[in-house]
Amino acid sequence: MIHSCHASARVGLALAGGGPAGSIYEIGAVRALDEALDGLDFNNLPIYVGVSAGAFITSTLANGLTTAQLCRAIVKPEPGEHPFVPENFLSPALGHYARSGARLPRLLIEMMQEAIRHPTDLSLIESLTRLSRALPVGLFDNKPIRSYLHTIFSRPGRSDDFRKLRQKLILVATDLDSGRAVRFGDPPFDHVPISTAVQASTALPGLYPPVEIDGRHYVDGVLLKTMHASVALDEGADLVLCVNPIVPVDTIRSVELGVMKRGRLADRGLPAVLSQTFRTIIHSRIGIGLAAYERKYADRDVLVFEPGRDDYKMFFSNIFSFARRKAVVEHAYRSTRLKLWRNRHRLGPLLDRHGIGLRTDVLEDPDADLWVSVGLDQKRRRSRLPVTERLDETLRQIEVLLGQNTKGAQGMGPL
């Protein structure tokens, strides 16, 4: 790859999907980047691109909520702010169930009328197919997501209007009836409230009902691409920082570490199988996309931060438990710092080309505590850390002492 020196580099942030757990992972990862990258203000980047869970996080950053505020919102409410409650993402769509159920009598009548007219043509499968129209198209209500963000964006100094933001914010969704990507924040879709655009971008089919906007129905933007980093590149970004929480798990070490008994996801039932399938499909597209960026944007850089395939803490965490939610954001923070440190010798010159410094003095501190960094006095004794986390910290100290140069990042690719 040919790199050029940019006197006034434009840096973009692109965040992928991943549901409530993905949102929390992204908060921890972005907090680590915020601390380690000198010369970047994560509330004042030229371009933000978000899809699904990433739409949720980028919309708050573009509205001036700091990475520290986002971290604090996970564990406690701040005066004048609303805590980040993942339960807002999973409110049963009771009204939608009722409307869908109300269609059942009419469909039964239509089925019986069809059977009378064509008694030999109507099979059981055809009958069930007709009745399936009464099934709700989403299990959970996504209106609380919109309401939550609208409340936050209505405070002084913030806006629920794309056109009133200082920075460029683009949230990607999919037009259900055309299968095309829609970029909320760009004309002619910039009149749509930001909170409504986030609701549309996070509307994963099956989980949430489509969101109707101006007579069209929209669903999750991850159906087309995972991160939509190309949107930031098309907007002129020289460097795009990406966070992708959606990575398939490899259970090869799970038995050894005591996470699973046999290392078989099928033992955990349908949810685990569907999650792995979804993650595999989504993640495979990242490699394809990065290869395309390498050819099309040969003078740009894209850095992707994501969990490892053996990151069992991320894959198996129940973030609806307060303790696990806190653990996930801490884990994302520490693992992102570790990746930056291990790749420092390659990342340093790359970032320097864009006028960004890598703060190795910050990264080499093995005792760094997320909650202390965001102003909460919750520092724990290192002796109480789980064994695997203490091992990570020990390895980091060894690297600091030896000044070891480990295998690092390329211009485009996951870290």
Side-chain angles (χ1 to χ4, degrees), residues 35-356:
E35 285 184 350
L37 303 185
D38 191 25
L40 277 189
D41 179 352
F42 275 78
N43 294 117
N44 193 30
L45 299 178
I47 173 69
Y48 298 84
V49 179
V51 57
S52 195
F56 187 96
I57 303 302
T58 52
S59 67
T60 58
L61 290 170
N63 248 296
L65 275 79
T66 66
T67 59
Q69 283 177 295
L70 291 176
C71 290
R72 291 195 295 264
I74 292 175
V75 297
K76 62 175 292 186
E78 293 191 21
E81 295 292 356
H82 293 263
F84 181 87
V85 182
E87 287 79 357
N88 284 336
F89 287 84
L90 296 181
S91 302
L94 299 179
H96 196 66
Y97 298 163
R99 287 191 297 273
S100 297
R103 302 179 60 190
L104 189 57
R106 179 175 59 82
L107 291 171
L108 282 169
I109 292 172
E110 291 177 357
M111 186 184 73
M112 288 186 291
Q113 289 174 339
E114 188 70 17
I116 292 171
R117 286 195 297 267
H118 307 283
T120 61
D121 292 345
L122 197 64
S123 68
L124 175 62
I125 297 299
E126 289 171 324
S127 300
L128 293 177
T129 299
R130 181 183 293 272
L131 294 180
S132 69
R133 299 176 190 175
L135 292 174
V137 293
L139 296 176
F140 304 108
D141 187 2
N142 46 17
K143 291 187 180 68
I145 299 174
R146 181 184 65 198
S147 177
Y148 173 87
L149 289 175
H150 177 72
T151 300
I152 291 176
F153 297 159
S154 296
R155 292 189 54 76
R158 301 174 189 164
S159 178
D160 202 16
D161 189 331
F162 286 100
R163 298 164 296 187
K164 294 181 180 180
L165 294 178
R166 291 179 301 167
Q167 295 80 26
K168 183 73 172 180
L169 171 66
I170 296 177
L171 307 179
V172 184
T174 304
D175 186 316
L176 180 61
D177 294 306
S178 70
R180 298 179 184 277
V182 171
R183 294 162 47 155
F184 292 106
D186 270 350
F189 302 102
D190 54 351
H191 70 285
V192 175
I194 297 172
S195 56
T196 303
V198 173
Q199 181 191 7
S201 183
T202 56
L204 185 65
L207 288 182
Y208 299 113
V211 177
E212 184 174 357
I213 301 173
D214 298 336
R216 304 287 294 183
H217 287 90
Y218 298 94
V219 293
D220 200 317
V222 81
L223 298 186
L224 296 172
K225 290 183 181 180
T226 304
M227 288 181 302
H228 292 270
S230 60
V231 174
L233 294 169
D234 288 338
E235 287 288 327
D238 302 308
L239 169 66
V240 183
L241 303 174
C242 306
V243 180
N244 169 50
I246 310 176
V247 175
V249 69
D250 184 344
T251 65
I252 191 168
R253 297 182 61 229
S254 63
V255 176
E256 170 193 345
L257 296 176
V259 178
M260 302 177 73
K261 290 183 178 179
R262 299 193 300 172
R264 299 178 181 178
L265 288 175
D267 292 346
R268 293 182 174 249
L270 182 62
V273 173
L274 289 178
S275 176
Q276 179 76 334
T277 303
F278 176 76
R279 288 167 176 267
T280 302
I281 293 172
I282 295 298
H283 193 260
S284 67
R285 299 187 310 193
I286 290 184
I288 296 172
L290 291 174
Y293 299 162
E294 183 83 26
R295 296 188 299 270
K296 186 176 180 181
Y297 308 99
D299 60 340
R300 319 285 185 86
D301 291 308
V302 177
L303 294 177
V304 182
F305 296 85
E306 58 183 29
R309 288 176 176 262
D310 59 350
D311 194 334
Y312 305 123
K313 179 172 290 188
M314 180 61 188
F315 188 85
F316 294 112
S317 285
N318 172 21
I319 51 83
F320 295 99
S321 156
F322 177 80
R324 298 310 301 158
R325 185 188 320 167
K326 190 164 173 275
V328 167
V329 72
E330 290 173 342
H331 173 65
Y333 171 79
R334 284 194 296 270
S335 63
T336 302
R337 285 173 55 91
L338 189 59
K339 288 170 186 172
L340 288 167
W341 172 256
R342 287 177 173 171
N343 290 282
R344 63 194 181 280
H345 296 291
R346 293 174 183 264
L347 279 177
L350 185 152
L351 292 169
D352 186 61
R353 286 195 295 269
H354 300 282
I356 302 168

